[in-house]
Amino acid sequence: KSTQSAADQNGPGKSRLVVGFSQIGAESSWRTAETNSIRSEADSRGIELKFSDAQGKQENQVKAITAFIAQKVDAIILAPKVETGWEPSLKAARAAGIPVILVDRGVQVADDTLYATLIASDFVAEGRMAAEWLAKKLEGKGNIVELQGTPGSAPAIDRKKGFEQGIAAYEGLKITRSQTGEFARQTGKEVMEAFLKSAPGEIDAVYAHNDDMALGAIQAIEEAGLRPGTDIIVVSIDGVRDAFDAMVAGKLNCTVECNPLLGPLAFDAVEKAVAGETLPKWTVVEDRVYDQSVAAEVIDSRKY
Amino acid sequence: MTAALRRNWPLLGTALVLVVLYAAASLAFPGFASLYQFAHLFDDNATLGLAAVGMTFVILSGGIDLSVGAVIALASMVLALLMKDGGWSIWAAVPAVLAMGAALGACMGAIIHVFRLPPFLVTLAGMFLARGAALLLTPDKRIEMSSKAEIESLSSVLIQNFNLPAMVFLAAVALAWAALRFTRFGRTVYAIGSDESAARLMGLPTASTRIGIYAISALCATAGGIVQVIGTGAGDASAALLLELDAIAAVVIGGTVLAGGRGSVIGTLLGVLILAIITAIPSYHGTLNSWWTKIAIGLLLLVFVLLQRLSQRWAAGKT
Amino acid sequence: MSSTLRQLIWPLAALALLLGFNAAFHPSFFHFQIHDGRLSGSIIDVLNQGAPVLLLALGMTLVIGTGGIDLSVGAIMAVAGAVAAAALREHAPVALAIAAALGAGAAAGVWNGSLVTLAGIPPIIATLILMVAGRGVAQLITHGETLLIKSDSAFNVIGRGVILGVPVPILIFLAAALGLSILVRLTALGLFIEAIGGNEQASRYAGVRVGPIRLAVYLLMGVLAAAAGLIDAADIAAADANNSGLYLELDAILAVVIGGTALTGGRFTLLGSIIGAIIIQTLSTTILSFGRNMPVELNLVIKAAVVLVVCLLQSSELRRLLTRTWRRSQ
Amino acid sequence: MSDPLIEMRGIVKTYPGVRALDGVDFTLHHGEVHALVGENGAGKSTLIRILTGAERRDAGRVLLEGSPIEPHTPVQAQRLGIATVYQEVNLVPDLSVAENIMLGREPRKAWGAIDRRAMDRRAEQVASGLGLHVDVTQPLRSCSIAVQQMVAVARAVDQKARALVLDEPTSSLDAGETEQLFALVRRLRGQGLGIVFITHFLEQVYEISDRITILRGGRCVGTHVADDLPRLALVSLMLGKAAEAAATRERGAGEVAPTAPRRLEARGLWRRGAVGPLDLTLRAGEVLGFAGLLGSGRSETVRLLFGVDVRSGGSLVINNRPIARHSPRRAIAAGMALAPEDRRAAGLVPELSVRENIMLAFQGARGWARRLGGREQNALAAKFVQALSISTPDLEKPVGQLSGGNQQKVILARWLLMEPGILLLDEPTRGIDIGAKQQIESLVDDLRAKGMAIIFISGELEEVVRVSQRIVVLRDRRAVAELTGADRHVHTVMQHIAGETGGKHV
Ligand SMILES: Nc1ncnc2c1ncn2[C@@H]1O[C@H](COP(=O)(O)OP(=O)(O)OP(=O)(O)O)[C@@H](O)[C@H]1O
Ligand SMILES: Nc1ncnc2c1ncn2[C@@H]1O[C@H](COP(=O)(O)OP(=O)(O)OP(=O)(O)O)[C@@H](O)[C@H]1O
Ligand SMILES: [Mg+2]
Ligand SMILES: [Mg+2]
């Protein structure tokens, strides 16, 4: 096997698997949970992990893949920042005989044999689940404001698309305002403040593309003298620990889980790919809806 | 001979650090010394490199250009828009985008020169303008076009592991070197940076040169944007955020004095390579969290600048 | 006194124009109401949300006055927020957490100041180092997570509290502005800063303590940035190492320049910088309050226009050109 | 008679608050050296800047060989044949000597690239034609000011000029270099060039010029053939009053009693690559003059004494207190003051007001916390503005807008306010008109009489001899002689400077 010699170099005596992991960054607690999951899984399987944090820049991810290829790792795990621009890197990896496993977001390539598999949630489905829960809660009628994720990112596009599909069936549900909160708590809060100012008393619900923005919005609502979770329904996606805390406190109504604990799935795929097995192109990660009714029970079992 | 050596000391110092850094990384990490990685130091940093080449002109003239990152993003968006929505061929779109970039830079240069405004501010305004325009172009902030055959054929050009972006970068370095050393324009750039009022009194064309300097900087950034589209197959309105700071760092590490008048584009090339190595190392090391990467880059920058200060003092002490 | 007024006339005009625009298209901008004993309304929002930039602009004025610049203030904000949140998580008393954060800001300022004064590194590069590494330090403290602060913690008063109907961030800013004005004009600090910015070598020959004063100015900047970071963290009851203070250094520098202090150092005006910061914040608030009719990105374009226009208005060169054409046409 | 080379008629120029030129007429003929003289702020530099397009006139006409010209920039003036060497050296320090001479006119190869070798060769020729022998490839910043000045002349001369303007070209040249420059000027005059020459050295005016135009307060008060205008008449035209004192000042009082308290004592003081070792004693109530050629180390010595430069060895005692680690602050605290030679770079903060510049050192010594009140500041500043007759519309005028001489006086005011025991004056009279110069000289006398200890540096030997009780001659960065009493003669000093005293070195 061509990677054997590299493995020898890296691990004295025994041939440990060496895997490169190019992560986007540490911009949210969700992503940190994903990173930790992959790291601890590598540890427990005795795999040497080359971790590289791109600090939110695709350029850095391209550099990381270069470095992984030059080091002749056995496999590469890539959490792509955006969907395009990976072709040259993926081709180089294939030329070097290194399989690439994509996690949490897909890429657009003409030739889908360039990567081994994608392990990710279905963002469109998440948006749809959120919409369905909200429709039920509002009984099909109400004004919704939307806090979008970073413009152009796959989760922002898909969660918007899924949500719009979900509410399409209900004529009484309308998105009255929609603006980007950049997936960040502070921006989420500022945008929500502006929403509340410009349409006082007309907002029934908030749909946020992630928990951080929802938590910012909750504060804006409180400062405007309203009760989040009661006067204005708040729905978001991700299911991080803070969101469960907020649900227990009655301020957040519902969060759609987007499971970041991809480590086990990812390394299963790595081992299979290195062994030469073919994998399905998309391994869908199962997500669930959590609302206040179950929050208190499950909160202690949450890992992130 | 020794005089020439002394005059070029900052450049030699930078080269020395580069060699030591490269050697140390090669010894510490298997695979680092490969031709593949070497070529990719240029490939993966071509956009930064191009921006830094343009920035060299600006800093040599005693100015600064904060707009380059935004201009890169704008150029990539406009190119993608022209080709995708406008149906332009790449051979028509590239010159058009280059012309747009140069015009934008020329405008900034003209405002700086005519109204005697600080470059920091004018280019900061330019940065907001270009970034804002790029973001406003499409609601998605990104234009995918990897399926375009023209882009694909360009992105697969490869000579000895060096791809098109790397070649454009190296060509820009060579051109800039010749322009700075062997043209009146180039010498006037140094003269303006050294003492602008003197340059004016000496009858040098300060107005056209200053406008040219900022046009070149924006032109290089635009080329960086084009190269980025070729490399990634997309126009991206949030590309190259704060890349100007890396470009400035590369120029300064390359021995060009921020106050202007002294330095060279060869130094900039070395500076870009040093930054390239520094950012590649964490991927080899493999256990650094992102915060450690940031801290490490900060510290390396510190060590570097301090070394440079010491070498400057040493050189000054010798004269 | 009249020369100060002349200096401020253009920034004031720009602010008036902006407010006039709001009055015309968005009359509710000027409404005030009292809500739960809390004064609210867009104008209060501007000051409240603008408090961090206002604090940064105060410090940045002094730094720029000495001919320097500080790119690291955004990162210092993140560090301060992280320190406070980490301390609170360890059940430190609120006062201790605040002191620790301000101390961290002071340390960052001393670091910057030392690089500039002792090592002689140009300020833009010296502070670039901390701009890059500082956010890393903040993330190191928070382990990359958003550190939550208990929503009932007394700490959050800094960001959300109200005293006599006025939001606490505004009060913090007012106190800082007043304190700094006194410090700068009733002592000789202002003269020394302007002398150093105007001609460092001459100041040294005249026996001004150039090094210590530079250092003190960066230290002050660090403390003010930390205060801004505390407001930011208390406002959202969390320390967000990734986003706190991001790009705020640019806004602060802009505020100073729009206010009429030259980037080359020397003569500075705190009042001008305050007006500059208010202009910048009013812009964002205006655009946000227009909702979906105006994309947020427009903020950037308008900011660019404002910067250019205000700078052009202040440029004596433009005035010279205009008077000349005017005279010719006569 | 053919048209004059240059004719300026009724030139008016106002700056905010100042009428710098008020209807000035000036005529320059072919083949003459025409001196332009006047007190500081008389408007000489302004007139020149208007002639050369660096500044716009408000009214008036400029004719070149009979036809009106309107140069908007120095380049246009240059194309018309008017070349200029400005008062402050205006070259590009980071480029090479050759480039500074050739910039804008570099020889180029067929395809437009600069032919650097040809350029160096050509520059070498031009420079050596002027008696300037330097490595033309070295950066200009590594050359002395004198060499830089010569390079500026070389550049101007090499441009096929018809008229050459020299604004105080000799203020930082030593006698030999001045002579070299004059030889060149005469040669150019022989070739038919018209040369405008500005200087404050009256000897030089008479040595080189054919005609003299005198400006006073922005007005032209006369143009005379040099040989027909007695010095005294010239001086009184400049000052607007009979100024006999200027010509008849007595040599300074005799020796100081060896019992007078020692203010400053240096033993074996030196700095690597700069000066010394040096032994020096300075007593209360004496003026110690430093004489020497340019670059002999006078400025470096006072900088060392003041703690600007760090010494490599030796001891220094100020007012009986040994000074170990030295700095300007310590020097000031010990009662020392230095008016530096380069007032633009090391003296003034140009955008700060006259008041603030005067108060700077005083406030610096008080520290930041103890600010002097506004009223006291105004009173003190006003007192010194009056005492030194600094001409400024008000105390709040930015000092950068004053003329050179008045700027120098502001620096003196700054230090006199401190009532220092020891005053170091490095070229306090350089670039200053006769009136101001005389004032400063008598001020030095008064201060000495009050018991101050003063070190006085001047490029003008007569002046050093006039004001000092004791003269230390420096040569090649070392003290080579100390002259007291009757030895203080210009002639003796010159012999020591030249090293012609039979080898008995101190
Ligand atoms: N840029 C300026 N702005 C305002 N006033 C100025 C400016 N330049 C010169 N002046 C004023 O114009 C007058 C003439 O100055 P100028 O420099 O021509 O004098 P000068 O004769 O060359 O004096 P010096 O011998 O000291 O060089 C002075 O009162 C000076 O203060
Ligand atoms: N003509 C020259 N040739 C070479 N070096 C020179 C020349 N003039 C000055 N220098 C350099 O400049 C340094 C500073 O000289 P310094 O200013 O102390 O001399 P000075 O006697 O005070 O002359 P000045 O009359 O210019 O004040 C000297 O150490 C010398 O190295
Ligand atoms: Mg003059
Ligand atoms: Mg000297």
Side-chain angles (χ1 to χ4, degrees):
Chain A
K1 213 171 66 181
S2 67
T3 53
Q4 196 63 49
S5 60
D8 283 344
Q9 282 177 0
N10 284 312
K14 76 181 201 240
S15 63
R16 282 218 289 173
L17 271 189
V18 181
V19 175
F21 173 33
S22 169
Q23 175 62 291
I24 298 174
E27 74 279 3
S28 64
S29 19
W30 188 93
R31 198 154 291 289
T32 315
E34 182 187 52
T35 303
N36 290 340
S37 163
I38 287 179
R39 287 185 135 172
S40 61
E41 189 66 22
D43 267 355
S44 65
R45 296 191 188 207
I47 291 173
E48 182 179 344
L49 188 72
K50 295 277 179 189
F51 171 71
S52 169
D53 183 317
Q55 298 165 49
K57 291 185 178 163
Q58 183 185 22
E59 300 100 279
N60 290 346
Q61 290 197 290
V62 169
K63 289 180 201 171
I65 296 176
T66 300
F68 295 151
I69 294 172
Q71 292 174 88
K72 302 198 173 70
V73 296
D74 297 297
I76 293 172
I77 302 175
L78 167 66
K81 154 104 174 138
V82 288
E83 296 189 346
T84 48
W86 301 105
E87 231 143 286
S89 304
L90 295 181
K91 279 181 184 158
R94 183 164 66 183
I98 301 172
V100 176
I101 286 89
L102 303 177
V103 291
D104 79 64
R105 293 175 185 186
V107 299
Q108 274 184 22
V109 281
D111 170 9
D112 74 358
T113 62
L114 281 176
Y115 60 89
T117 184
L118 160 67
I119 299 168
S121 299
D122 183 346
F123 298 136
V124 179
E126 288 169 358
R128 214 180 301 122
M129 285 193 270
E132 275 154 15
W133 187 91
L134 189 60
K136 215 181 301 159
K137 177 85 181 173
L138 293 175
E139 291 162 353
K141 217 168 90 34
N143 294 329
I144 305 166
V145 294
E146 181 182 29
L147 296 172
Q148 299 177 35
T150 307
S153 66
I157 295 170
D158 290 350
R159 284 171 185 170
K160 183 172 175 56
K161 197 199 289 172
F163 190 81
E164 282 166 356
Q165 286 172 5
I167 61 168
Y170 306 89
E171 264 182 27
L173 285 182
K174 275 199 312 256
I175 299 180
T176 52
R177 304 260 150 145
S178 176
Q179 221 163 59
T180 177
E182 304 280 352
F183 282 136
R185 188 179 287 231
Q186 177 73 42
T187 325
K189 178 172 184 237
E190 275 166 26
V191 173
M192 190 64 204
E193 274 169 12
F195 285 168
L196 289 165
K197 273 270 139 62
S198 59
E202 291 167 15
I203 301 171
D204 299 308
V206 183
Y207 165 51
H209 287 187
N210 79 348
D211 290 337
D212 280 327
M213 291 190 294
L215 295 169
I218 285 172
Q219 267 154 26
I221 295 169
E222 283 179 332
E223 279 168 31
L226 300 168
R227 285 165 303 165
T230 317
D231 298 330
I232 294 179
I233 308 297
V234 186
V235 184
S236 67
I237 297 179
D238 271 2
V240 298
R241 176 69 187 233
D242 303 347
F244 279 86
D245 285 335
M247 279 199 286
V248 171
K251 294 175 178 174
L252 180 72
N253 298 80
C254 165
T255 182
V256 179
E257 177 192 56
C258 180
N259 193 347
L261 305 182
L262 304 179
L265 286 175
F267 284 102
D268 285 348
V270 164
E271 282 171 353
K272 283 184 192 151
V274 170
E277 291 177 40
T278 13
L279 294 160
K281 279 288 112 164
W282 184 5
T283 315
V284 180
V285 181
E286 287 302 324
D287 296 324
R288 279 191 52 190
V289 179
Y290 294 91
D291 62 13
Q292 288 179 355
S293 60
V294 295
E297 296 161 34
V298 295
I299 187 163
D300 290 327
S301 65
R302 301 300 294 174
K303 294 214 186 71
Y304 56 94
Chain B
M1 196 58 223
T2 51
L5 206 73
R6 194 177 331 119
R7 242 170 271 160
N8 288 319
W9 164 249
L11 196 59
L12 292 177
T14 306
L16 194 71
V17 171
L18 175 62
V19 168
V20 168
L21 201 60
Y22 190 80
S26 298
L27 284 179
F29 307 116
F32 194 91
S34 62
L35 175 63
Y36 178 77
Q37 175 64 72
F38 182 73
H40 272 268
L41 288 180
F42 296 85
D43 284 359
D44 296 345
N45 296 284
T47 302
L48 169 65
L50 280 164
V53 167
M55 188 70 78
T56 309
F57 284 80
V58 176
I59 293 186
L60 276 176
S61 77
I64 201 151
D65 187 350
L66 297 182
S67 72
V68 293
V71 169
I72 288 170
L74 180 63
S76 79
M77 286 297 279
V78 172
L79 179 73
L81 203 66
L82 286 179
M83 290 180 63
K84 196 163 187 200
D85 294 3
W88 292 36
S89 106
I90 193 161
W91 307 114
V94 163
V97 173
L98 286 174
M100 173 208 75
L104 185 66
C107 282
M108 290 191 285
I111 293 175
I112 290 168
H113 189 85
V114 174
F115 301 111
R116 314 240 150 256
L117 292 179
F120 190 97
L121 286 181
V122 176
T123 58
L124 189 58
M127 166 193 183
F128 287 138
L129 189 74
R131 183 69 69 183
L135 287 168
L136 286 170
L137 273 180
T138 66
D140 278 352
K141 324 295 177 205
R142 217 179 134 80
I143 303 173
E144 305 290 352
M145 52 183 317
S146 44
S147 48
K148 280 262 178 200
E150 284 171 322
I151 295 280
E152 214 163 316
S153 66
L154 285 179
S155 69
S156 50
V157 175
L158 210 63
I159 301 175
Q160 279 293 323
N161 281 308
F162 284 83
N163 64 8
L164 196 64
M167 288 185 261
V168 173
F169 169 33
L170 288 172
V173 171
L175 271 177
W177 180 77
L180 282 174
R181 201 171 156 74
F182 292 111
T183 68
R184 285 191 182 168
F185 170 80
R187 303 320 291 171
T188 308
V189 172
Y190 280 90
I192 290 178
S194 190
D195 185 338
E196 194 201 336
S197 64
R200 206 170 46 243
L201 289 175
M202 286 167 97
L204 301 180
T206 48
S208 62
T209 306
R210 161 117 345 104
I211 292 170
I213 287 166
Y214 287 87
I216 286 181
S217 176
L219 190 75
C220 286
T222 309
I226 293 169
V227 155
Q228 176 131 326
V229 174
I230 291 172
T232 64
D236 185 354
S238 35
L241 270 181
L242 294 188
L243 179 122
E244 47 275 356
L245 295 179
D246 290 337
I248 293 168
V251 173
V252 170
I253 287 176
T256 297
V257 180
L258 260 186
R262 271 174 291 170
S264 76
V265 74
I266 301 300
T268 300
L269 174 65
L270 303 182
V272 170
L273 289 178
I274 287 172
L275 279 189
I277 294 176
I278 290 176
T279 46
I281 284 176
S283 300
Y284 281 87
H285 189 276
T287 55
L288 294 175
N289 266 317
S290 80
W291 43 90
W292 286 118
T293 320
K294 283 178 187 157
I295 294 172
I297 291 178
L299 286 180
L300 277 167
L301 197 58
L302 170 71
V303 168
F304 203 86
V305 177
L306 284 179
L307 275 179
Q308 204 179 18
R309 285 292 305 167
L310 281 180
S311 82
Q312 271 169 11
R313 283 200 190 157
W314 182 77
K318 286 252 153 180
T319 48
Chain C
M1 206 60 231
S2 71
S3 77
T4 332
L5 206 69
R6 212 176 315 133
Q7 227 177 347
L8 293 182
I9 198 113
W10 294 116
L12 278 173
L15 184 59
L17 202 73
L18 204 58
L19 292 177
F21 176 85
N22 269 304
F25 294 95
H26 210 262
S28 72
F29 196 88
F30 293 94
H31 290 178
F32 286 92
Q33 67 233 39
I34 308 254
H35 199 295
D36 293 345
R38 174 194 180 97
L39 206 55
S40 74
S42 292
I43 303 242
I44 296 294
D45 280 357
V46 165
L47 292 176
N48 193 12
Q49 287 175 358
V53 177
L54 280 162
L55 285 173
L56 294 183
L58 289 176
M60 195 66 82
T61 312
L62 305 190
V63 172
I64 290 180
T66 62
I69 200 153
D70 192 343
L71 296 180
S72 70
V73 293
I76 297 177
M77 282 177 67
V79 170
V83 166
L88 290 172
R89 173 158 288 196
E90 301 302 320
H91 308 291
V94 170
L96 184 65
I98 293 174
L102 294 178
V110 169
W111 163 271
N112 281 334
S114 311
L115 288 186
V116 172
T117 56
L118 300 181
I121 301 174
I124 195 169
I125 297 295
T127 56
L128 179 63
I129 292 170
L130 195 58
M131 181 188 190
V132 176
R135 217 161 269 286
V137 172
Q139 287 170 330
L140 176 68
I141 296 169
T142 64
H143 289 280
E145 294 160 28
T146 307
L147 273 193
L148 284 195
I149 297 164
K150 281 211 207 72
S151 55
D152 54 354
S153 166
F155 174 79
N156 295 334
V157 170
I158 300 175
R160 309 186 201 162
V162 172
I163 296 175
L164 296 176
V166 185
V168 172
I170 298 183
L171 295 176
I172 293 177
F173 155 68
L174 287 177
L178 198 70
L180 221 53
S181 305
I182 289 175
L183 184 64
V184 158
R185 294 302 173 200
L186 291 191
T187 71
L189 202 59
L191 172 68
F192 291 163
I193 289 172
E194 291 181 337
I196 293 170
N199 187 343
E200 180 185 336
Q201 199 189 354
S203 307
R204 188 162 293 164
Y205 272 68
V208 175
R209 289 174 188 272
V210 174
I213 285 174
R214 273 244 166 84
L215 201 68
V217 165
Y218 282 92
L219 186 148
L220 262 175
M221 175 82 258
V223 172
L224 286 166
L230 285 176
I231 291 179
D232 208 48
D235 187 27
I236 58 169
D240 184 348
N242 292 299
N243 295 305
S244 178
L246 201 60
Y247 308 133
L248 244 45
E249 53 279 340
L250 294 180
D251 279 352
I253 294 167
L254 272 189
V256 173
V257 174
I258 290 178
T261 298
L263 270 182
T264 43
R267 288 275 184 225
F268 66 84
T269 144
L270 284 172
L271 193 55
S273 303
I274 292 172
I275 296 172
I278 293 178
I279 290 177
I280 289 176
Q281 189 62 41
T282 309
L283 262 181
S284 339
T285 307
T286 306
I287 288 174
L288 265 182
S289 62
F290 269 78
R292 84 155 122 208
N293 305 327
M294 263 203 219
V296 216
E297 290 79 27
L298 206 56
N299 198 352
L300 288 174
V301 177
I302 297 181
K303 229 192 241 177
V306 170
V307 176
L308 268 187
V309 170
V310 175
C311 289
L312 282 178
L313 287 175
Q314 288 171 353
S315 137
S316 50
E317 202 60 27
L318 178 72
R319 235 166 292 153
R320 214 173 54 79
L321 291 178
L322 285 181
T323 31
R324 199 191 301 158
T325 30
W326 183 74
R327 236 184 250 162
R328 255 201 219 134
S329 69
Q330 291 261 301
Chain D
M1 197 173 129
S2 70
D3 283 321
L5 178 55
I6 287 171
E7 209 176 341
M8 303 177 81
R9 288 279 163 266
I11 306 294
V12 175
K13 175 76 196 176
T14 32
Y15 289 112
V18 205
R19 180 151 262 219
L21 294 176
D22 190 4
V24 172
D25 296 339
F26 178 77
T27 310
L28 178 68
H29 293 295
H30 294 274
E32 75 162 345
V33 176
H34 194 145
L36 193 56
V37 299
E39 285 189 278
N40 292 123
K44 305 178 295 291
S45 298
T46 308
L47 186 69
I48 292 313
R49 286 202 294 268
I50 284 172
L51 174 63
T52 60
E55 196 81 72
R56 300 291 175 81
R57 58 183 182 266
D58 297 337
R61 293 193 308 150
V62 181
L63 305 175
L64 180 70
E65 293 182 331
S67 43
I69 57 167
E70 190 87 17
H72 288 315
T73 61
V75 199
Q76 288 178 7
Q78 220 167 70
R79 294 225 181 86
L80 294 166
I82 304 170
T84 316
V85 176
Y86 290 92
Q87 182 166 5
E88 318 282 347
V89 184
N90 265 295
L91 292 173
V92 186
D94 290 316
L95 294 185
S96 73
V97 171
E99 284 180 302
N100 270 290
I101 295 176
M102 303 299 299
L103 218 51
R105 290 168 290 113
E106 304 92 339
R108 289 194 279 190
K109 292 186 182 151
W111 29 283
I114 295 174
D115 185 343
R116 295 182 75 97
R117 208 169 306 154
M119 177 178 77
D120 289 347
R121 225 179 305 119
R122 174 97 185 80
E124 184 98 53
Q125 282 169 9
V126 175
S128 52
L130 304 185
L132 182 66
H133 298 282
V134 286
D135 169 12
V136 295
T137 62
Q138 67 178 322
L140 187 75
R141 71 161 66 248
S142 62
C143 300
S144 66
I145 306 261
V147 170
Q148 295 189 18
Q149 190 70 263
M150 300 288 279
V151 169
V153 176
R155 177 181 171 78
V157 167
D158 190 44
Q159 298 185 16
K160 308 214 168 39
R162 284 187 285 178
L164 176 63
V165 180
L166 303 171
D167 191 355
E168 297 199 32
T170 51
S171 62
S172 44
L173 301 192
D174 67 25
E177 288 164 323
T178 305
E179 206 31 65
Q180 241 178 40
L181 180 68
F182 281 0
L184 174 69
V185 168
R186 287 192 192 101
R187 193 153 71 210
L188 296 171
R189 171 173 64 187
Q191 293 166 9
L193 262 76
I195 294 155
V196 183
F197 180 71
I198 300 178
T199 185
H200 287 293
F201 298 123
L202 295 191
E203 283 77 15
Q204 295 181 359
V205 170
Y206 281 103
E207 186 181 342
I208 190 84
S209 58
D210 305 305
R211 290 197 305 154
I212 303 173
T213 290
I214 303 107
L215 292 184
R216 188 172 71 234
R219 289 168 183 277
C220 179
V221 292
T223 299
H224 299 268
V225 173
D227 294 340
D228 300 347
L229 183 68
R231 266 176 208 226
L232 213 53
L234 171 61
V235 171
S236 56
L237 276 174
M238 286 168 64
L239 297 180
K241 56 182 185 244
E244 282 149 43
T248 56
R249 253 185 65 87
E250 272 300 305
R251 196 160 70 181
E255 231 160 311
V256 181
T259 52
R262 283 182 189 176
R263 281 285 160 79
L264 183 147
E265 186 145 16
R267 289 281 163 265
L269 196 66
W270 70 289
R271 173 175 162 81
R272 185 171 291 115
V275 285
L278 185 80
D279 294 331
L280 209 65
T281 308
L282 184 64
R283 291 177 188 279
E286 79 168 336
V287 175
L288 175 62
F290 278 4
L293 287 179
L294 198 78
S296 57
R298 295 162 300 176
S299 297
E300 306 228 332
T301 304
V302 291
R303 295 229 310 262
L304 203 55
L305 293 175
F306 194 64
V308 175
D309 294 334
V310 180
R311 64 176 180 248
S312 305
S315 70
L316 182 64
V317 178
I318 300 175
N319 284 330
N320 295 321
R321 264 196 317 194
I323 304 282
R325 291 192 56 223
H326 206 18
S327 75
R329 279 189 64 79
R330 280 166 220 260
I332 294 168
M336 208 189 251
L338 165 67
E341 146 184 62
D342 185 349
R343 60 178 167 257
R344 263 213 324 189
L348 296 163
V349 186
E351 61 194 295
L352 292 193
S353 67
V354 171
R355 168 182 60 85
E356 285 166 315
N357 270 286
I358 292 179
M359 299 309 300
L360 193 57
F362 191 70
Q363 188 63 60
R366 280 171 74 98
W368 66 274
R370 294 167 53 227
R371 180 175 179 271
L372 198 67
R375 202 165 314 144
E376 285 127 308
Q377 286 194 30
N378 280 331
L380 274 173
K383 179 176 139 202
F384 280 94
V385 163
Q386 211 198 351
L388 298 181
S389 54
I390 298 171
S391 76
T392 169
D394 62 275
L395 292 178
E396 298 307 314
K397 178 137 178 130
V399 109
Q401 289 173 18
L402 298 189
S403 80
N406 285 309
Q407 292 181 350
Q408 185 66 54
K409 289 188 201 165
V410 168
I411 296 179
L412 283 177
R414 172 192 293 168
W415 291 120
L416 294 183
L417 178 58
M418 305 286 292
E419 297 174 354
I422 306 160
L423 182 59
L424 313 177
L425 298 173
D426 193 357
E427 307 270 12
T429 55
R430 177 190 287 179
I432 279 193
D433 65 63
I434 289 256
K437 197 165 175 158
Q438 198 189 320
Q439 278 181 349
I440 287 175
E441 281 181 28
S442 53
L443 187 71
V444 168
D445 249 6
D446 293 349
L447 294 171
R448 179 192 58 76
K450 285 188 196 144
M452 201 180 279
I454 297 169
I455 290 181
F456 186 91
I457 299 177
S458 168
E460 217 183 315
L461 279 188
E462 290 82 354
E463 191 177 43
V464 178
V465 169
R466 247 189 336 258
V467 293
S468 343
Q469 275 77 53
R470 210 149 47 92
I471 296 172
V472 168
V473 178
L474 284 91
R475 189 169 69 231
D476 293 337
R477 303 165 180 182
R478 320 181 55 121
V480 291
E482 189 176 312
L483 307 174
T484 47
D487 286 346
R488 293 173 300 139
H489 268 302
V490 173
H491 185 68
T492 342
V493 176
M494 285 222 275
Q495 277 181 331
H496 281 282
I497 288 176
E500 287 171 353
T501 46
K504 191 193 159 268
H505 289 180
V506 178

